[in-house]
Amino acid sequence: MTETSKPRQLRSDVWQTVNERYPGSMISKEDLVPLASLDKPLSEAKLTFISSAGVQPVGTMPFDTVHPVGDYTFRKVPSDSKPEDLEIHQLKYPTVGAIQDLNVIFPIERLQELAADGVIGGLTDNFFSFIGYNMDPEQMELKLAEDIADAVVKDHADIALLCPA
Amino acid sequence: MQRALEARGIPTVSLSVALDVTEQIKPPRAVFLPFMMGHHFGVPYHKELQRRVILEALDHLVDAKESGEVKFPPLSWAKARKEGIAIKKALDIK
């Protein structure tokens, strides 16, 4: 697809707007990392889902949505959860759709169906959830990303689908 | 986060509604959707669209040849909203 025919994002200049308001809060990379390869068909691959939408099981410690620097913890979300078992603690994206149908941002039922249909080999016991509006990119990269990656390995994921809200 | 997972040998794909952010952070594999923030998988009750978005991402995870490759599925927010309104009407949901 050529540069000129790229579809446009609905909200323009997200990176620049946030970076101007909170200097140094946005990550920018010059390099590309090598791709890991999948050594089995999708129909045999165990998938994990990682979301920054602030979705968490009812009754777990709510994400701290008002901390001035952010919340660098994550929650495990059992992959067999039903939408009514979950709630959202997040302030920074429109939840109008998610309140009606959580699957618009955390498609837990669709992923369960894809596993049941054999399109993917299965789901990890847990999905992983955090809030993405964090002001310290170093803590995000060096602590939160590493903590979640370690937890994903422990859950024997073959592939990961990520959705930054 | 994707980088930390790829370094551990786990292939990843992410969904984006902010192409400018994606171009800055250069994730290994990404799928861009011209959708509203917080609605990466489409609109409420539109199961077919939600499933399609996931399948587009999984296809990209398998097919992407180069790191940093972004896929642009031919989807539009206007069409998704229109279909969503029709689905809600059929389900008698406001």
Side-chain angles (χ1 to χ4, degrees):
Chain A
M1 185 167 278
T2 62
E3 196 70 24
T4 50
S5 62
K6 276 182 188 173
R8 289 180 53 197
Q9 63 196 63
L10 293 193
R11 178 178 287 189
S12 59
D13 299 327
V14 174
W15 194 94
Q16 194 180 337
T17 305
V18 178
N19 202 52
E20 277 172 8
R21 196 166 296 171
Y22 305 101
S25 67
M26 294 298 279
I27 294 171
S28 183
K29 296 283 186 189
E30 293 303 320
D31 65 317
L32 294 162
V33 296
L35 292 179
S37 57
L38 183 61
D39 56 4
K40 55 179 76 171
L42 266 184
S43 59
E44 293 173 22
K46 192 180 269 200
L47 177 143
T48 199
F49 177 61
I50 302 166
S51 162
S52 69
V55 172
Q56 54 188 107
V58 173
T60 54
M61 174 64 79
F63 287 112
D64 186 347
T65 54
V66 293
H67 191 286
V69 183
D71 183 338
Y72 300 88
T73 63
F74 70 91
R75 306 285 178 273
K76 290 180 177 178
V77 177
S79 63
D80 60 357
S81 301
K82 296 180 176 69
E84 55 267 30
D85 302 330
L86 307 173
E87 57 189 20
I88 298 173
H89 289 271
Q90 228 280 21
L91 299 174
K92 293 293 182 183
Y93 67 89
T95 52
V96 58
I99 286 164
Q100 289 192 12
D101 177 5
L102 188 67
N103 294 289
V104 304
I105 193 66
F106 200 93
I108 192 159
E109 289 177 304
R110 300 296 84 78
L111 290 168
Q112 289 164 354
E113 288 160 7
L114 288 169
D117 295 348
V119 175
I120 49 178
L123 304 172
T124 51
D125 288 347
N126 298 290
F127 294 157
F128 300 89
S129 176
F130 62 105
I131 56 171
Y133 211 81
N134 289 325
M135 294 295 105
D136 180 349
E138 270 199 7
Q139 270 204 82
M140 171 70 96
E141 271 193 276
L142 302 178
K143 180 184 183 297
L144 183 55
E146 294 293 323
D147 288 351
I148 289 181
D150 286 342
V152 165
V153 169
K154 272 189 194 155
D155 250 23
H156 309 291
D158 295 308
I159 54 174
L161 173 67
L162 295 91
C163 185
Chain B
M1 196 144 316
Q2 282 182 260
R3 290 168 176 241
L5 288 160
E6 298 275 347
R8 287 163 175 77
I10 298 170
T12 66
V13 62
S14 63
L15 298 167
S16 168
V17 296
L19 188 57
D20 60 341
V21 176
T22 302
E23 286 171 343
Q24 288 279 357
I25 62 177
K26 299 179 178 58
R29 304 176 196 80
V31 174
F32 174 71
L33 305 152
F35 288 178
M36 182 175 159
M37 288 179 87
H39 296 68
H40 295 50
F41 298 90
V43 292
Y45 317 113
H46 198 330
K47 294 180 183 182
E48 189 192 332
L49 177 61
Q50 294 165 6
R51 184 180 173 108
R52 180 175 168 191
V53 170
I54 298 168
L55 292 175
E56 293 277 4
L58 294 179
D59 285 349
H60 190 49
L61 186 144
V62 172
D63 296 338
K65 298 286 180 285
E66 288 177 14
S67 186
E69 213 173 301
V70 182
K71 180 182 182 182
F72 298 91
L75 295 166
S76 91
W77 182 239
K79 185 167 181 281
R81 282 195 69 197
K82 197 172 167 185
E83 289 171 355
I85 289 164
I87 288 166
K88 283 214 284 196
K89 204 170 174 181
L91 293 171
D92 202 20
I93 296 168
K94 281 212 165 68

